Amino acid sequence: MSTKHTAKCECSQLQRHRCKFQPVLPAILQKGPAFVKPKFGKATKSVADQAAVKRIFPNTYGLPEITFVKGANSAVAKKAVRVGVVLSGGQAPGGHNVIGGLLDGLKKANPKNKLFGFLGGPSGIVENKWVEITPALMKDYRNTGGFDLIQSGRTKIETDEQLKAAKDNLIANKMDALVVVGGDDSNTNACVIAEYLKQQGVDISVIGVPKTIDGDLKNKQIETSFGFDTATKIYAELVGNICRDVNSARKYWHFIRLMGRSASHITLEVAFKTHPNAVLIGEEVLAKKMTLGQIVDNLAQLIAKRAKAGKNYGVVLVPEGLIEFIPEMKELISALNDSLADNEAELSKMNTVAEKKAFILSKLPAKLADLMRSLPEGIASQLMLDRDPHGNVQVSLIETEKLLVEMIRTKLAEMKKAGKYNGKFAAITHFFGYEGRCGVPSTFDANYTYALGYNAAVLALNKCSGYLSSVRKLTKKAQDWECGGIPLTMMMNIERRKGKEKPVIKKALVELKGEPFKHLAKNRDLWAVEDLYVFPGPIQYFGPAEITDMTTYTLLLEQGKKVK
Ligand code: FBP
């Protein structure tokens, strides 16, 4: 069912200028899809649990990697094709440019090719809601933030009815391909759809595009997901401003929780850009098996040390997923996940959180029930909130920064009594998450997303189903980036979700042996006591390349480049 596009787009001055920005395409794509050929590598394996992943994806498992090389490929331009695109999961800067690149790639191959945007995320495919994306409609959305052109959603297409409805609608709309722009869970779902269509003998390709501000959809082949660059620049501007405020007023401790789901990549990157006094990294907490009490003690010691030097102020960064990595909390969350999934029907009949909590407490082992009772009321209730459709705890809604401040306050009072602390502790808490997801894409993200979309068009035209659009060598100039496709099954392993073992794309967590974490470990003691704050300021869209084209420290460090 076609829907009239009603969203009105009021242009700011910046947007008016930014709309004119022409992203730089990698040289390999510049002449268009008819001059690019796929070069197939060796058959691939999933990162873990090979037998189980192969059993679930018999038709899409083991595909070879693809690299695009120069070569005449006029076959892709012969027949006009119809491609659908869907934005899935949380917003990330650059989504509109993926659609722009896809549209331009398709039109370059054959002006009669058509692109359709499914509305409101994957539910738009099941409910058959779409709009045709014409060049005229696309015009005002180029290089803009947000997903408002077709919106997003978190529906997971998994039941037989949903899969059948998706298939029927794709066939009814005479689609040749579907492009799913999403994170690890959405791209896992893209692979489920690709597999289902192959099993059903339906010749419609499904291609994924790596999106997420969290930066956790990456591996050897996918160097970063789009949106991470812009979102971390926006958070760094905000954190940098707070550092400057702290340095000016010298009277508050700011506890800042940053989005990023389980992984701490965003927190790490923002720390590189701003040099706060303390940075918690969830993955380190897990590796060192640190309890909540130890985390609080360490922070209280730092606060006391700075107070001794007359510094009753500071900035602490907290990743939103921290809570999932504290061993005792991890155990509690995992038991809660299972218990909430096992008792879904009964819980749905209860009206209040208190009622649900009492019921769940009766199902938990005594040790975990005691831990749950010891938590502040707000946090305990937040841990009970519904999981998202992919089974993830909604960590963005758990106010860990407030929990830490409350516990630190108690600890400092004890230390004061014991004569071990004599400072003032005035704390302010913040959560930066939604502020960074729809920002105007940085030049890096504008170029990267446009290339990912254009590259997805080339994959679709070559009928490469079950692949993730891959643009590599990202620390080089955009024209030198390499393009191709990575089999989705190659990134999968089996994880426990909603009480069941499920195939999912493996989340990339912060590697403690990786260069980014080592860089933090080398510098953080100095940042803790000295006030070496950096104030990065806003993203620059115009001006010298060294400030407009700057990429992330994470990417530079991961690729062995030197950073200051
Ligand atoms: P994706 O994984 O879908 O990219 O979403 C990322 C994210 O922004 C997380 O950082 C955050 O925890 C979550 O979405 C919030 O979800 P919601 O938008 O549903 O509140």
Side-chain angles (χ1 to χ4, degrees), residues 89-90 154 211-214 259-261 320 395-396 434 437:
R154 289 201 184 276
K211 168 238 70 169
T212 179
I213 60 160
D214 301 347
M259 228 180 210
R261 229 187 255 286
E320 71 170 6
V395 278
S396 61
Y434 298 96
R437 301 201 309 182

Side-chain angles (χ1 to χ4, degrees), residues 413-470:
E414 282 167 25
M415 287 167 67
K416 204 165 237 178
K417 260 193 194 159
K420 291 182 180 156
Y421 167 66
N422 193 21
K424 278 189 201 142
F425 181 64
I428 298 180
T429 55
H430 312 258
F431 169 48
F432 297 145
Y434 298 96
E435 294 83 347
R437 301 201 309 182
C438 282
V440 179
S442 61
T443 295
F444 173 84
D445 268 331
N447 285 333
Y448 183 41
T449 46
Y450 187 75
L452 283 169
Y454 203 103
N455 186 60
V458 184
L459 287 165
L461 291 165
N462 284 282
K463 291 184 168 294
C464 300
S465 191
Y467 281 89
L468 192 61
S469 176
S470 157

Side-chain angles (χ1 to χ4, degrees), residues 268 272 511-523:
L268 193 56
F272 295 150
E511 295 266 355
L512 301 190
K513 288 192 181 137
E515 289 308 317
F517 182 78
K518 283 199 217 153
H519 186 70
L520 174 76
K522 200 168 78 192
N523 290 291

Side-chain angles (χ1 to χ4, degrees), residues 511-559:
E511 295 266 355
L512 301 190
K513 288 192 181 137
E515 289 308 317
F517 182 78
K518 283 199 217 153
H519 186 70
L520 174 76
K522 200 168 78 192
N523 290 291
R524 63 182 164 187
D525 289 348
L526 209 58
W527 300 346
V529 286
E530 307 284 336
D531 296 341
L532 297 174
Y533 306 127
V534 179
F535 320 114
I539 298 176
Q540 299 297 310
Y541 298 96
F542 306 96
E546 75 210 63
I547 57 167
T548 56
D549 294 7
M550 213 171 21
T551 178
T552 60
Y553 285 78
T554 305
L555 198 56
L556 291 169
L557 287 160
E558 281 172 348
Q559 302 204 355

Side-chain angles (χ1 to χ4, degrees), residues 88-92 147 152-154 182-186 211-216 225-226 235 258-262 266 320-321 388-390 392-397 431 433-434 437 507:
S88 180
Q91 286 71 254
F147 279 7
S152 186
R154 289 201 184 276
D184 47 350
D185 289 328
S186 306
K211 168 238 70 169
T212 179
I213 60 160
D214 301 347
D216 58 0
S225 53
F226 79 76
Y235 300 139
L258 291 167
M259 228 180 210
R261 229 187 255 286
S262 309
I266 288 184
E320 71 170 6
D388 79 2
H390 298 274
N392 300 302
V393 180
Q394 299 193 55
V395 278
S396 61
L397 305 179
F431 169 48
Y434 298 96
R437 301 201 309 182
K507 245 185 221 319

